[in-house]
Amino acid sequence: MVTRRTVIKAAGAGTLASGLAASAAPAASASRARDADVLVVVEKSSHAVSFYDVASGRRLRSVPLPGYPHEMVVDSRRRFAYVGHYGVRMAATVGEGGAAVLVVDLAERTLARTIDTRPFNRVHGMGIDRHDRLYALSEEKAVLLGFDAPATDTAPTRAVPTHGVKTHLFSLSRDGERAYVTGLLSHTVSLVRPHDAAAPPLLVTPGQLPESSCLSRDEKTLFVGARKSGSIVAVDARTMKVRDSRTVGGDPLRVYTVDDERLLATDIAANTLTVLSTDLRPIRSLQLDGTPAAVSFHPGKPLAYVSQLGNNRIAVVDLDRLTVVGGFATQLEPDSSVLLPAT
């Protein structure tokens, strides 16, 4: 268990060189670590995905990846992680970027293989449905790629245009039949059908610079963070009509569904986490030491794992009390993560 109100430093967290050393650690240590909760973290500027023992903060292993990986999803069996090779540090960075999906074997803690997505480049947003079908978003080409059997596919099996510009992230219905794609430059969210490219898209402009979104548990409402507008917007997930909007100020980079009644938003201007009700009423905020980039959740406990830029740390947050109950250091620029619970 994480010690409450204690900040734990990670042993060996440092440069990519030390990550390479960790990747060569004996397989036995990786096997033993499966008896504990392990957080898998994409570290953008260390160009790696790393495995951390949550209780001690110890970095168990790092898997070197091509430059600047970003988003990650994991299949239902916790067998493979799929990482988008964005290939540039930030959305504002000019460049062709990467054109691949990186497949990480979570049992062996190795890079199992690479799926080439060319000519679809700057692969960023990632999603996986309840059937373990994978989806990857090409920001440059504004195309959502699909992989029906990602464990073995060597190329995309489908692709649909998203009708946005600089398409960065998306939310996915559990059955994979609906995807909601944000366009940073078009200032739009597009509802597209990943398995029916002939279906006409529905678009909405929820505010300026919509980046992240999340579906309500019943999948009837889409919540969108409009960064330049400083607002969280509720959109009807079928008609794509705006239902409600709340100005929260700052820069709401990410918004997440916590449960039937609560949302969680990260503000990278104020360095805060804010819990809101699903009717967009702010409930409580938590000040952090670093900049909250991305959040993942424990599947069985009210705990959130917050990747922080600037100080290169994970903060472990009790969602019921909205307080930091632990944390540990990472390598450079931790981003998306996933918790592998003890077996």
Side-chain angles (χ1 to χ4, degrees):
M1 294 292 292
V2 178
T3 303
R4 292 188 180 274
R5 301 190 183 278
T6 302
V7 176
I8 308 167
K9 288 208 169 186
T15 64
L16 179 58
S18 63
L20 292 171
S23 69
S29 64
S31 177
R32 286 194 299 271
R34 296 187 188 107
D35 296 330
D37 286 350
V38 172
L39 192 70
V40 186
V41 184
V42 173
E43 296 159 324
K44 294 191 300 187
S45 288
S46 284
H47 319 297
V49 61
S50 293
F51 295 74
Y52 290 90
D53 181 293
V54 172
S56 67
R58 185 168 66 95
R59 181 160 53 89
L60 304 169
R61 183 170 298 214
S62 290
V63 179
L65 299 178
Y68 299 112
H70 278 226
E71 297 300 300
M72 173 178 63
V73 291
V74 171
D75 66 22
S76 62
R77 296 183 300 120
R78 301 291 199 265
R79 184 67 179 84
F80 294 107
Y82 300 96
V83 182
H85 185 205
Y86 193 50
V88 292
R89 181 170 172 264
M90 300 175 64
T93 304
V94 175
E96 183 177 346
V101 172
L102 310 170
V103 184
V104 176
D105 187 315
L106 295 173
E108 299 299 325
R109 296 178 183 171
T110 59
L111 177 61
R113 61 195 186 91
T114 298
I115 306 175
D116 193 334
T117 62
R118 288 176 294 181
F120 304 106
N121 59 318
R122 291 177 73 112
V123 177
H124 192 261
M126 303 290 292
I128 199 161
D129 66 21
R130 68 186 179 199
H131 308 291
D132 280 337
R133 297 178 297 192
L134 179 70
Y135 307 83
L137 182 60
S138 166
E139 180 187 88
E140 177 67 22
K141 297 297 190 292
V143 168
L144 183 64
L145 307 173
F147 304 82
D148 289 348
T152 55
D153 284 339
T154 58
T157 50
R158 60 186 70 251
V160 295
T162 64
H163 302 274
V165 180
K166 201 172 181 61
T167 52
H168 201 62
L169 291 170
F170 65 95
S171 293
L172 187 70
S173 62
R174 286 185 287 272
D175 62 8
E177 297 300 321
R178 292 175 286 143
Y180 301 85
V181 183
T182 58
L184 296 179
L185 283 183
S186 53
H187 305 286
T188 55
V189 181
S190 311
L191 166 57
V192 298
R193 304 284 177 172
H195 296 273
D196 186 2
L202 290 177
L203 277 73
V204 65
T205 303
Q208 297 298 297
L209 200 68
E211 180 160 340
S212 75
S213 66
C214 62
L215 282 164
S216 60
R217 288 288 181 89
D218 61 9
E219 299 192 340
K220 293 181 179 180
T221 304
L222 183 75
F223 299 100
V224 182
R227 296 181 57 189
K228 281 192 175 179
S229 300
S231 59
I232 305 295
V233 183
V235 177
D236 186 295
R238 295 288 183 176
T239 66
M240 296 301 284
K241 302 296 185 183
V242 173
R243 287 178 174 169
D244 197 4
S245 180
R246 171 81 64 168
T247 299
V248 294
D251 188 341
L253 178 70
R254 301 273 185 135
V255 57
Y256 300 90
T257 301
V258 176
D259 51 34
D260 290 335
E261 299 178 345
R262 296 179 297 171
L263 306 174
L264 184 70
T266 67
D267 183 339
I268 64 170
N271 290 352
T272 57
L273 294 178
T274 297
V275 174
L276 303 95
S277 65
T278 50
D279 61 2
L280 305 186
R281 177 176 51 86
I283 297 172
R284 190 176 177 186
S285 292
L286 171 66
Q287 185 76 44
L288 296 172
D289 294 332
T291 301
V295 180
S296 65
F297 300 90
H298 194 290
K301 302 175 184 178
L303 295 175
Y305 304 90
V306 185
S307 299
Q308 297 179 98
L309 304 177
N311 64 354
N312 299 314
R313 294 187 65 82
I314 299 293
V316 184
V317 175
D318 182 316
L319 291 170
D320 289 340
R321 296 186 295 152
L322 200 62
T323 185
V324 175
V325 294
F328 49 87
T330 66
Q331 297 189 112
L332 300 178
E333 292 196 303
D335 198 5
S336 56
S337 66
V338 66
L339 193 282
L340 305 181
T343 55

